[in-house]
C-alpha cells in the first residue's frame, strides 16, 4: 500500500466512523491498524530482502522512504522503529485507561513513564548495529 492509498484508507475509516457511529469505532480502528501493520511489515521485509541481496552498511537506501536505512545508528531500520512506535501507541490506549481507572493520575503517569522508558531503551539498543553490517 502506498502512502496515498493509506491516506484514502484512513479517510474511508473516518467516514465510516461518522456514518456508523461510535459502536463500531474499535472495529474500524483495529481494521485500520492491521492495514498499517501489514504495510510496515511489507516494507521491513523489502528492506531485509534488499540487505540480503547485497545491500549492507550505511549506504543502503530504503525503497519505501528514500532515506538511509541506517540513518540512526543502533536503532534498526526505519520500518522497525516505526512499527515499534505504532505498537506502543496502540497499546498505550488500553494501558492508559487501566492505569487511570485503577490509580487515577498517578496510574496514568506510571503507564506513560513506562511507555517512554520502553521506547528510549528500544531507540538506544545496539541491535541495529549488529544486523549483518559487520558480518564479514
Amino acid at each position: 500500500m502506498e502512502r496515498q492509498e493509506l491516506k484514502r484508507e484512513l479517510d474511508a475509516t473516518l467516514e465510516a466512523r461518522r456514518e456508523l457511529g461510535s459502536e463500531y469505532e474499535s472495529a474500524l480502528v483495529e481494521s485500520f491498524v492491521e492495514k498499517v501493520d501489514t504495510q510496515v511489515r511489507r516494507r521491513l521485509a523489502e528492506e531485509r530482502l534488499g540487505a540480503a541481496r547485497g545491500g549492507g552498511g550505511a549506504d543502503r537506501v530504503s525503497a519505501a522512504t528514500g532515506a538511509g536505512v541506517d540513518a540512526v545508528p543502533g536503532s534498526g531500520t526505519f520500518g522497525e522503529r516505526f512499527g515499534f512506535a505504532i505498537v506502543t501507541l496502540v497499546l498505550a490506549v488500553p494501558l492508559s485507561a487501566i492505569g487511570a481507572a485503577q490509580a487515577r493520575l498517578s496510574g496514568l503517569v506510571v503507564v506513560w513513564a513506562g511507555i517512554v522508558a520502553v521506547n528510549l531503551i528500544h531507540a538506544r539498543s545496539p541491535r541495529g548495529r549488529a544486523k549483518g553490517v559487520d558480518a564479514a
Side-chain angles (χ1 to χ4, degrees), residues 91-115:
L91 292 175
V93 174
L95 291 175
S96 295
I98 293 168
Q102 295 297 319
R104 303 208 186 271
L105 182 60
S106 62
L108 192 61
V109 169
V110 168
V111 166
W112 276 97
I115 291 168

Side-chain angles (χ1 to χ4, degrees), residues 18-108:
R18 277 187 224 108
E19 291 176 10
L20 297 173
S22 62
E23 300 87 34
Y24 295 97
E25 185 172 319
S26 65
L28 291 169
V29 169
E30 187 174 320
S31 172
F32 181 72
V33 168
E34 282 182 31
K35 291 173 185 172
V36 170
D37 184 52
T38 300
Q39 182 179 12
V40 168
R41 288 178 188 270
R42 184 185 56 78
R43 285 184 182 175
L44 185 57
E46 287 173 0
E47 290 172 358
R48 287 182 178 165
L49 182 62
R53 287 185 175 168
D59 59 341
R60 291 183 310 175
V61 175
S62 168
T65 63
V69 173
D70 295 325
V72 180
S75 60
T77 65
F78 172 77
E80 180 183 345
R81 292 188 322 262
F82 183 72
F84 190 80
I86 291 293
V87 168
T88 56
L89 287 176
V90 167
L91 292 175
V93 174
L95 291 175
S96 295
I98 293 168
Q102 295 297 319
R104 303 208 186 271
L105 182 60
S106 62
L108 192 61

